[in-house]
Amino acid sequence: MMRFLQVFAAALVATVVSALEPTAYTASGKAIYTTPSGSRIVKHGSNVNLYAPNGTLLHVFENADGSGGGGGPLRRQSTSVGQIFAPLPVGTGANDTLQSFNGTFVVPPPPTTFESQLMFFGFGYTDLTDTGEVYTFTGVALQYGGSNVQGGSFYSGAIFAEIPVLDTYILASLPNSTEQLNIGDTVSVYVALQGILDGILGINDTFYEYFTGFSGPNGDQFPTLQSYDEDKPQIVGWRVEVEGAEQPSDYPTGPLVFKDVTVELTTGFPSELNWEIEGDSAADIDFEVVNGDPTDVEIKMTFPDASS
Ligand SMILES: *[C@@H]1O[C@H](CO)[C@@H](O)[C@H](O)[C@H]1NC(C)=O
Ligand SMILES: *[C@@H]1O[C@H](CO)[C@@H](O)[C@H](O)[C@H]1NC(C)=O
Ligand SMILES: *[C@@H]1O[C@H](CO)[C@@H](O)[C@H](O)[C@H]1NC(C)=O
Ligand SMILES: *[C@@H]1O[C@H](CO)[C@@H](O)[C@H](O)[C@H]1NC(C)=O
Ligand SMILES: *[C@@H]1O[C@H](CO)[C@@H](O)[C@H](O)[C@H]1NC(C)=O
């Protein structure tokens, strides 16, 4: 941590910031920025800053909360986003926040047709803007399909932050790794609190530091992302994005089940969570909360092919 704060300080005095360009666009025009594994994002005010692992400021995503004005819609709602989520019942104390959100899933059988569809089955947390819109979603994802920078007609493990207002994904990547996942693999994923900081970058405010990644024996073969948030996570859950899936066979041919999911707060396990489902018909996926108990959540996603 000390070293990171030092390089952070160095980043502050760097006079030249070379802004990144998107490395690719999805079919619907969402920008994908790739960044090395271990990169850090800092959410401060209405900006999301992206730092390389060595502390270099790579990019500033401005007005990421839609506060930039211009009178446009706050959020271009994609019709292919589905969510299963629960608001976190955290208190107002600075130390009352999400401790961890962990779970496992088994990589489902693949789609039988590939026509450049891109699917993210994301697992993570959401920060909201002051007006209650999605500011960022930060998490791990089972990805199927890809762009020219990552993925393909196979499953891969992705770590990403999404900024819906800017139609932007930030994807962390490891050099020389396809991040490929094999059918039937059991994969463990986590979001975990690393610390509550009194201030970083000279900003006198509380920051919540989270790591997002893959755990288990092969965990180090996947990227990680670190996040410093001025606000505590308000929601945990799944965010599914589907682009370019035209027919049932473009979807996984078996269900995707997340098991042994725990939602722990710094004050312990909440007695219950209120799970909500949104957009499942738009994404053409049947979402089911099999068990909602914060110590043992189970979520099942069933795809259109399952009924044929
Ligand atoms: C820090 O990392 C960035 C991104 O990987 C790289 O472009 C830059 O050259 C690095 N800077 C130093 C001083 O190593
Ligand atoms: C909250 O964290 C601060 C340090 O960040 C510590 O000084 C304080 O004692 C903590 N309060 C509680 C109630 O744990
Ligand atoms: C969640 O995962 C993190 C990282 O692997 C671990 O440190 C933590 O103990 C786990 N928490 C629970 C409740 O399993
Ligand atoms: C990636 O592969 C290239 C070419 O084989 C090699 O030069 C480089 O050292 C590798 N990088 C890492 C981090 O393994
Ligand atoms: C930081 O903010 C707190 C509370 O607003 C204040 O008491 C403290 O003096 C501030 N510290 C600095 C270094 O500005």
Side-chain angles (χ1 to χ4, degrees):
M1 174 49 57
M2 228 19 247
R3 206 187 85 79
F4 173 51
L5 292 178
Q6 278 157 13
V7 287
F8 245 2
L12 262 187
V13 299
T15 49
V16 179
V17 174
S18 49
L20 292 184
E21 294 293 332
T23 30
Y25 290 90
T26 71
S28 77
K30 293 187 179 180
I32 300 177
Y33 292 81
T34 40
T35 191
S37 176
S39 291
R40 299 163 168 106
I41 56 176
V42 175
K43 296 167 215 163
H44 166 54
S46 57
N47 292 350
V48 177
N49 290 10
L50 175 63
Y51 295 87
N54 65 15
T56 300
L57 177 60
L58 295 175
H59 197 85
V60 178
F61 297 90
E62 291 184 338
N63 298 320
D65 64 350
S67 64
L74 246 189
R75 173 186 177 193
R76 265 176 283 168
Q77 173 73 58
S78 162
T79 53
S80 53
V81 178
Q83 302 187 88
I84 305 174
F85 62 97
L88 290 170
V90 290
T92 52
N95 298 356
D96 296 341
T97 187
L98 175 68
Q99 178 68 40
S100 66
F101 179 43
N102 299 354
T104 62
F105 65 90
V106 173
V107 180
T112 50
T113 49
F114 181 60
E115 43 188 339
S116 300
Q117 71 271 36
L118 176 60
M119 296 182 262
F120 285 112
F121 303 99
F123 170 99
Y125 67 93
T126 300
D127 291 315
L128 300 175
T129 66
D130 292 344
T131 54
E133 302 291 323
V134 175
Y135 177 14
T136 52
F137 177 85
T138 309
V140 179
L142 171 65
Q143 177 181 342
Y144 185 88
S147 62
N148 55 336
V149 289
Q150 180 172 341
S153 56
F154 52 86
Y155 287 109
S156 55
I159 303 278
F160 74 114
E162 185 187 356
I163 310 172
V165 164
L166 300 181
D167 275 345
T168 290
Y169 295 107
I170 302 168
L171 276 171
S173 66
L174 270 179
N176 299 352
S177 170
T178 59
E179 284 106 27
Q180 184 159 357
L181 289 170
N182 300 310
I183 318 303
D185 279 357
T186 299
V187 182
S188 301
V189 295
Y190 70 90
V191 171
L193 179 69
Q194 302 299 306
I196 300 172
L197 309 174
D198 279 341
I200 55 171
L201 294 169
I203 303 161
N204 185 16
D205 201 357
T206 303
F207 280 84
Y208 299 87
E209 179 191 6
Y210 287 91
F211 279 15
T212 301
F214 293 79
S215 51
N218 297 328
D220 59 358
Q221 288 166 30
F222 294 92
T224 62
L225 189 65
Q226 303 174 24
S227 180
Y228 296 78
D229 305 334
E230 234 174 356
D231 295 310
K232 40 182 114 160
Q234 283 136 303
I235 285 171
V236 289
W238 289 258
R239 184 173 169 92
V240 173
E241 309 229 1
V242 177
E243 266 196 22
E246 309 279 351
Q247 50 183 328
S249 57
D250 288 345
Y251 285 87
T253 42
L256 170 59
V257 180
F258 285 81
K259 281 190 174 166
D260 304 322
V261 178
T262 53
V263 182
E264 190 180 17
L265 307 178
T266 48
T267 49
F269 287 100
S271 56
E272 62 170 355
L273 288 169
N274 295 315
W275 294 101
E276 295 174 45
I277 290 176
E278 188 180 275
D280 53 339
S281 56
D284 215 4
I285 299 171
D286 181 42
F287 290 151
E288 186 187 351
V289 180
V290 179
N291 185 5
D293 176 350
T295 64
D296 189 18
V297 182
E298 183 172 334
I299 298 290
K300 184 176 185 183
M301 300 182 193
T302 307
F303 303 102
D305 220 19
S307 51
S308 61

